[in-house]
Amino acid sequence: MNNDENPRSQEPEQPERPEQPDAGVSSAPDAPVRPPAAEEVSGRQRLLAGLWPPRVSRAQLIVAVLLFGLGLGLAIQVRSTSDDSALRGARQEDLVRILDEVDDRTQRLEDEKQRLDAQRTELENSSDQAEEARKQTLEKERQLGILAGTVAAQGPGITLTISDPSGAVAADKLLDTVQELRAAGAEAIEVNGVRVVANTYFSGEGGDIQVDGKKIEAPYEFKVIGKPQDLEPALNIPGGVVQTLEKEQATAVVERSEEIVVDALRPAERPDYARSSSP
């Protein structure tokens, strides 16, 4: 081919010029390249990251178990202390009175158990068990009649006379006296000619006292059948009936007797609805 036909092909190739950097960009070769900015972590996130998941060492676990046991023991101790706080705050004479009442009740229950055991033995060993059962039934009926106030009673006991010249003894004080006597083992009680039974109530203020709706006046005389060795100390213990009445400017005199007669009777009332369940 003739070289004159293509004169451009004979021209030497020009070297490529390097691209010029854009304006405003440093061309220094040692300029550091800044990485993209990372998202900043908040303080709450750092706290959560430090707390969870928990990193518990063996020593920390042992301390936690010991603290839990200590707290449980303190809770049990506080609860047991609160249960008997009433007794802890009681006066010495009150504690003595409570202890005496518990001992008396325990002794009476033991005596009742021995009596019932003796009755069972007599019934089992009797040749005529039907006759023995009839006797025990009559005796039980008599005892129930005494408790209900439908029959007279006599036996050892005490007479309690309460004088109230200032009219300061209210009905609740006389009711407390009856409760103390019953707790000490009184089996029959009569107050100014009124038989005291299970449903007896006292009402009125000082100087105007009523028993079961019947007015009584001072001095108030209690005839009580029971064991004198138990009845008198129960009234005279520190903080008992006698000391309480003395604070009301009243006087209480207790006299033991080998023969107390309680003959004030209550009418035998037939129940309207209750019937015996025995065949």
Side-chain angles (χ1 to χ4, degrees):
M1 176 182 249
N2 192 354
N3 293 335
D4 294 337
E5 294 178 356
N6 192 3
R8 294 180 175 271
S9 61
Q10 298 299 324
E11 294 178 359
E13 296 181 355
Q14 297 295 330
E16 296 181 358
R17 294 180 179 180
E19 296 181 355
Q20 296 295 329
D22 296 337
V25 179
S26 174
S27 61
D30 56 350
V33 179
R34 183 178 181 182
E39 296 181 358
E40 294 185 358
V41 181
S42 65
R44 179 179 297 179
Q45 291 176 338
R46 290 197 300 271
L47 178 62
L48 293 177
L51 294 178
W52 189 263
R55 299 176 180 86
V56 181
S57 64
R58 183 176 180 182
Q60 292 174 337
L61 182 60
I62 294 175
V63 171
V65 172
L66 292 177
L67 290 177
F68 174 77
L70 179 61
L72 182 61
L74 289 176
I76 296 175
Q77 179 67 23
V78 169
R79 183 171 182 178
S80 62
T81 303
S82 61
D83 291 340
D84 57 353
S85 58
L87 293 179
R88 288 181 180 272
R91 298 177 301 174
Q92 182 177 1
E93 52 267 23
D94 295 333
L95 295 176
V96 173
R97 177 175 57 84
I98 294 173
L99 182 60
D100 290 340
E101 290 179 358
V102 171
D103 292 340
D104 293 341
R105 291 174 183 175
T106 302
Q107 185 60 43
R108 289 197 302 273
L109 290 175
E110 184 64 27
D111 295 341
E112 180 69 12
K113 177 179 177 298
Q114 294 178 0
R115 186 180 64 82
L116 293 176
D117 289 341
Q119 290 181 357
R120 183 186 63 181
T121 302
E122 292 178 1
L123 186 59
E124 292 175 349
N125 298 334
S126 176
S127 58
D128 190 352
Q129 295 186 357
E131 179 63 20
E132 183 64 26
R134 187 184 68 83
K135 291 181 179 180
Q136 293 188 11
T137 301
L138 293 176
E139 178 64 19
K140 191 67 175 179
E141 181 181 0
R142 186 186 67 82
Q143 294 176 0
L144 294 176
I146 293 175
L147 296 177
T150 57
V151 298
Q154 63 181 11
I158 64 171
T159 300
L160 170 65
T161 305
I162 300 176
S163 300
D164 183 24
S166 60
V169 178
D172 60 335
K173 301 301 181 183
L174 299 182
L175 179 59
D176 291 342
T177 302
V178 172
Q179 298 292 0
E180 289 288 348
L181 291 171
R182 284 176 172 169
E187 297 177 354
I189 304 175
E190 175 183 327
V191 182
N192 287 32
V194 181
R195 187 70 169 267
V196 177
V197 294
N199 59 350
T200 294
Y201 65 92
F202 291 78
S203 60
E205 299 297 331
D208 185 19
I209 304 296
Q210 294 183 356
V211 182
D212 292 338
K214 182 179 179 180
K215 184 177 181 179
I216 61 175
E217 297 180 354
Y220 307 114
E221 185 180 59
F222 288 74
K223 295 182 179 180
V224 187
I225 296 179
K227 189 177 180 180
Q229 293 81 357
D230 294 338
L231 297 174
E232 183 179 5
L235 298 176
N236 287 303
I237 60 175
V241 171
V242 174
Q243 285 192 0
T244 302
L245 292 173
E246 289 177 351
K247 294 179 181 179
E248 302 292 339
Q249 305 302 319
T251 58
V253 179
V254 182
E255 296 180 359
R256 297 188 184 187
S257 178
E258 294 297 328
E259 188 68 24
I260 297 292
V261 177
V262 175
D263 52 5
L265 302 181
R266 302 292 292 260
E269 298 179 357
R270 182 180 181 86
D272 296 329
Y273 305 100
R275 296 291 182 270
S276 176
S277 61
S278 60

